[in-house]
Amino acid sequence: MERYELSTTVAADADAVFAYLSDLATLPGYVECVRSAEHLGGTRVRVVADAGGRTRTGEAWLTTDAGSRTAAWESCGPRWCAGQVYVTDAAPHGARVTLGVQADEEACRGLRPDLEAALARLRRLLESGGAHPA
């Protein structure tokens, strides 16, 4: 199993950043391989993504806590992956987004550059006005 932890600072309100991250509809905007994501009820979600040259559909569970600005997920398939995201206040202003991901060896191939790219896209979207935090 591999574990990654990456962070970025975003020049935006931490509550607004977490609200944006908590909205599954925004996921394709900053995770390049994701085509769509939807709630199935309760904590279950479905994600459609391009992986290994194919479009794949997978289910996972997702929990969010706006009070602590944390979210956690875990995949429900043969390629296990789990993670957490934390949004904290950054001094003197802004938000610090920390992403922790654990995955099996197969799911980890090429994962770190994808995570770095997702955080960079998220920061650009939120700072450029291309995304509208709640």
Side-chain angles (χ1 to χ4, degrees), residues 39-64:
H39 282 281
L40 298 176
T43 60
R44 291 181 44 232
V45 298
R46 177 180 299 127
V47 176
V48 178
D50 295 332
R54 295 179 29 197
T55 299
R56 299 175 189 243
T57 301
E59 290 189 16
W61 61 259
L62 168 72
T63 59
T64 60

Side-chain angles (χ1 to χ4, degrees), residues 36-89:
S36 66
E38 65 179 324
H39 282 281
L40 298 176
T43 60
R44 291 181 44 232
V45 298
R46 177 180 299 127
V47 176
V48 178
D50 295 332
R54 295 179 29 197
T55 299
R56 299 175 189 243
T57 301
E59 290 189 16
W61 61 259
L62 168 72
T63 59
T64 60
D65 181 351
S68 63
R69 296 190 209 118
T70 61
W73 66 92
E74 185 171 348
S75 65
C76 302
R79 295 177 64 189
W80 180 81
C81 182
Q84 312 78 36
V85 64
Y86 309 91
V87 179
T88 56
D89 293 314

